[in-house]
Amino acid sequence: MRPDLTEPLKLLAVRVERVLEQVLPTPELEPSRLHAAMRYSVLGGGKRLRPLLCYAGAAAVGGRTEQADRAAAALEVIHAYSLIHDDLPAMDDDDLRRGKPTCHIAFDEATAILAGDALQALAFELIANDPGHSTERSRLAAIRTLALACGSQGMAGGQAFDLGAVGRQLTEFELKRMHAHKTGALIRAAVLMGAELTGQADSHQLAQLARFGSLVGLAFQIRDDILDIEGDTEIIGKRQGADIARNKPTFPSIMGLDAAKAAAEDTRQQALSALSSFGPEAELLRDLAHYAVDRPS
Amino acid sequence: MRPDLTEPLKLLAVRVERVLEQVLPTPELEPSRLHAAMRYSVLGGGKRLRPLLCYAGAAAVGGRTEQADRAAAALEVIHAYSLIHDDLPAMDDDDLRRGKPTCHIAFDEATAILAGDALQALAFELIANDPGHSTERSRLAAIRTLALACGSQGMAGGQAFDLGAVGRQLTEFELKRMHAHKTGALIRAAVLMGAELTGQADSHQLAQLARFGSLVGLAFQIRDDILDIEGDTEIIGKRQGADIARNKPTFPSIMGLDAAKAAAEDTRQQALSALSSFGPEAELLRDLAHYAVDRPS
């Protein structure tokens, strides 16, 4: 049981925070309120799981950290945008996120919609406009991967499946499909983009990394559902039991708590197996697979 | 006075419609409702001004029509997403658009938010994934141009300026700044992207095309404000007088109707001047400058 991030991963989390600080427009620049809302929603919170997976994906194929910097930031920017929109009154109607008021509470609903929209555009700009560290071909590949992971066959589609699921009994297949889109697609993209941007991953490696990413995404989600039952509101940063109160289907609600814990464990092992052809350079990815299942929040 | 689109432009409008038909996911694919909302909002309506400017921008530097196909579609997809979000209850709260119920009325608010989000991602995917017709470098340039035009320094920023303007007296500077962001940025990007994707525009040409695009965007907006006063609800496809009823600042409300008409004319002439170094290959752009000011709706 290694509940915390390892030291190298903690350093990478600090690193992406600095990149985010730099690339996000400041409120000194007009329109101030929009820029303030964007920074509020991205900075100073969150596990930075997607950036870490991106850095770890680059490392796994022998890439350099700076090759993944802007993609790592872009992934967190996309994640933040998705949380802002998910929290809106017309969607999940949440007022607390990462222990702070959600964007539409701290600002207003219109600003929250626009902050999400502007963040999505910023993410693509960050990758398109990355001087020096990657080839044009690899940046285009990463943009393609990100766009597919964000669209109707990825994250936005997953949220649509989620909308159709509230208050309804889902099969395990439907629940997995929803999460594979809603959170899995971006997590998988994070690992892939890191590897793609190095320009030195072969197709077998990319296939294995994609498989690893999907499995880690699933493990992460099962753990999330378990924490919704067992976690402490203060530590998890959102209301404990929020999903159950909303009658949202979860892995424990469908398969039982013990079976969900076993499924998380099994998924971790499968994820580690997907990395069997990689050497010690994939250690960061392995650490993240453990973190996904062992994390306390 | 040439109020209608010329025949070549009408053919290009039909052409982009076909591309859009092909690239938009169908409701046969899950999540069906999301895909239905995306198609509903993009297909079968609108002037297709941005695609036409994109095709015309490509032609102006001697490019081939097929080089601009996917960027043209991407621009309309972005435009449709921005309209969906602008029409939301928390934003402009409009129930009629292009003569049809707005997306959140025809579907629901959550689906409308997600349809907009998914369309933005689709636009970037369309350009990143355009086999054969353009170089990787030119596609990255077009993605960068599009992302900047969509973000907080472009369209989303303009909508934020707009939010801050309702019910307040704006100066002409503030009104122009708002529109330069809200609609001007994407119109300017449309002309530029068309030229960029050909891979054969030099920096002087790009600068002139950018200037042309900004001016056409301004002319288009002034004409929009005039149509809000003089237009017929059935022809303009949204409620006549909607901006005035909402106490939104417009060019006629700030400078008077006659001065607004003179400004539209002056802006058209400036736009045409920006093309003075181009030959007959820029005729489609010139036609669009006329259309922006003379159009009946």
Side-chain angles (χ1 to χ4, degrees):
Chain A
M1 191 78 163
R2 290 175 269 181
D4 248 351
L5 287 174
T6 59
E7 285 307 313
L9 288 169
K10 281 184 187 162
L11 289 175
L12 289 170
V14 172
R15 181 180 175 111
V16 76
E17 202 71 21
R18 269 197 225 116
V19 180
L20 287 166
E21 277 278 0
Q22 281 167 13
V23 298
L24 283 163
T26 66
E28 282 77 61
L29 190 68
E30 295 251 44
S32 304
R33 189 175 170 81
L34 179 63
H35 290 150
M38 290 165 72
R39 291 183 81 86
Y40 175 86
S41 303
V42 176
L43 297 176
K47 288 176 274 291
R48 310 310 192 202
L49 176 73
R50 290 151 194 82
L52 296 179
L53 284 163
C54 182
Y55 284 126
V61 295
R64 289 174 287 114
T65 310
E66 59 266 31
Q67 292 181 307
D69 271 333
R70 287 173 76 98
L75 283 155
E76 193 63 21
V77 160
I78 288 283
H79 180 54
Y81 122 64
S82 78
L83 297 182
I84 297 173
H85 282 192
D86 284 5
D87 289 337
L88 286 169
M91 307 276 279
D92 286 357
D93 196 15
D94 268 316
D95 56 2
L96 194 62
R97 167 74 70 180
R98 294 174 175 174
K100 299 192 299 184
T102 48
C103 186
H104 68 276
I105 299 288
F107 294 84
D108 57 80
E109 208 179 321
T111 300
I113 294 168
L114 290 175
D117 290 346
L119 287 170
Q120 180 166 194
L122 175 63
F124 289 103
E125 196 238 317
L126 285 175
I127 304 173
N129 203 9
D130 185 12
H133 299 305
S134 52
T135 63
E136 285 157 350
R137 169 162 304 179
S138 67
R139 269 180 278 162
L140 268 184
I143 288 169
R144 201 160 41 230
T145 298
L146 182 62
L148 284 168
C150 289
S152 73
Q153 294 299 295
M155 195 175 68
Q159 189 65 13
F161 283 127
D162 197 6
L163 285 176
V166 175
R168 200 163 66 77
Q169 189 67 36
L170 290 195
T171 64
E172 193 180 322
F173 166 79
E174 288 175 314
L175 185 66
K176 281 189 172 170
R177 182 180 65 171
M178 173 181 83
H179 288 308
H181 287 76
K182 193 179 165 183
T183 56
L186 194 62
I187 286 176
R188 175 178 172 279
V191 183
L192 275 179
M193 288 165 67
E196 284 170 340
L197 281 164
T198 68
Q200 56 196 53
D202 63 38
S203 61
H204 175 73
Q205 287 177 313
L206 289 175
Q208 294 304 101
L209 291 174
R211 182 169 154 70
F212 170 83
S214 296
L215 289 160
V216 163
L218 177 61
F220 192 84
Q221 187 57 51
I222 300 173
R223 177 67 181 158
D224 233 37
D225 286 356
I226 294 169
L227 285 168
D228 186 63
I229 295 175
E230 296 190 335
D232 182 301
T233 297
E234 211 169 304
I235 296 176
I236 62 179
K238 59 181 179 183
R239 304 231 180 280
Q240 184 265 324
D243 292 340
I244 290 180
R246 199 179 284 130
N247 200 19
K248 277 203 167 190
T250 68
F251 286 99
S253 75
I254 281 184
M255 51 172 56
L257 183 57
D258 287 343
K261 287 179 179 177
E265 189 52 50
D266 180 53
T267 309
R268 173 201 340 229
Q269 294 309 326
Q270 287 184 57
L272 294 172
S273 299
L275 299 179
S276 58
S277 61
F278 289 83
E281 68 281 2
E283 209 51 33
L284 291 177
L285 284 178
R286 295 188 186 98
D287 289 342
L288 284 164
H290 291 300
Y291 174 72
V293 178
D294 296 335
R295 69 201 163 93
S297 68
Chain B
M1 190 82 165
R2 290 175 270 183
D4 246 353
L5 288 174
T6 58
E7 284 309 313
L9 288 170
K10 281 185 187 164
L11 288 176
L12 288 169
V14 172
R15 182 180 175 110
V16 75
E17 202 71 23
R18 268 197 226 118
V19 179
L20 288 166
E21 278 277 1
Q22 280 167 14
V23 298
L24 283 163
T26 65
E28 280 77 62
L29 190 68
E30 294 251 44
S32 305
R33 189 175 170 81
L34 179 63
H35 290 151
M38 291 165 71
R39 292 183 81 86
Y40 176 84
S41 304
V42 177
L43 297 177
K47 288 176 273 293
R48 309 311 191 202
L49 176 72
R50 292 151 193 82
L52 297 181
L53 285 162
C54 183
Y55 284 125
V61 296
R64 287 174 287 115
T65 310
E66 59 266 32
Q67 293 182 306
D69 270 334
R70 285 171 78 97
L75 283 154
E76 192 63 22
V77 160
I78 289 284
H79 180 54
Y81 122 65
S82 78
L83 297 182
I84 298 173
H85 283 191
D86 285 5
D87 289 336
L88 286 168
M91 307 279 277
D92 287 355
D93 197 14
D94 268 315
D95 55 2
L96 193 62
R97 167 75 69 181
R98 294 175 175 173
K100 298 191 300 183
T102 48
C103 187
H104 67 276
I105 299 287
F107 294 84
D108 57 81
E109 209 179 319
T111 300
I113 294 169
L114 290 174
D117 290 347
L119 286 171
Q120 180 167 194
L122 175 62
F124 289 103
E125 197 239 316
L126 285 176
I127 305 174
N129 205 8
D130 185 13
H133 299 304
S134 53
T135 64
E136 284 158 350
R137 170 163 303 178
S138 68
R139 268 178 279 164
L140 268 184
I143 288 170
R144 201 158 44 229
T145 298
L146 182 63
L148 284 168
C150 290
S152 73
Q153 295 298 296
M155 194 174 69
Q159 188 67 10
F161 283 126
D162 196 8
L163 286 176
V166 175
R168 199 162 67 76
Q169 189 66 35
L170 290 196
T171 63
E172 193 180 322
F173 166 79
E174 289 175 313
L175 186 65
K176 282 189 174 170
R177 181 180 67 174
M178 174 182 85
H179 288 307
H181 287 76
K182 193 179 165 184
T183 55
L186 193 61
I187 287 175
R188 175 179 171 279
V191 183
L192 276 179
M193 287 165 66
E196 284 170 340
L197 281 165
T198 68
Q200 56 197 51
D202 64 38
S203 61
H204 174 73
Q205 287 177 313
L206 289 175
Q208 293 306 100
L209 291 175
R211 182 168 154 69
F212 171 84
S214 297
L215 288 160
V216 162
L218 177 60
F220 192 83
Q221 187 57 50
I222 300 174
R223 177 68 182 158
D224 233 37
D225 287 356
I226 293 169
L227 285 169
D228 186 62
I229 296 174
E230 297 192 334
D232 181 300
T233 297
E234 212 170 302
I235 296 176
I236 63 179
K238 59 182 177 181
R239 303 231 181 282
Q240 185 266 325
D243 291 342
I244 291 181
R246 199 181 281 131
N247 201 17
K248 278 205 167 187
T250 68
F251 285 99
S253 74
I254 281 183
M255 50 172 57
L257 183 57
D258 287 343
K261 287 180 179 175
E265 189 52 50
D266 181 53
T267 309
R268 175 204 334 231
Q269 294 308 326
Q270 287 185 57
L272 294 172
S273 299
L275 299 179
S276 58
S277 63
F278 289 82
E281 67 280 4
E283 209 49 34
L284 291 176
L285 284 178
R286 295 187 186 99
D287 289 341
L288 284 164
H290 291 299
Y291 174 72
V293 179
D294 296 333
R295 69 201 163 92
S297 68

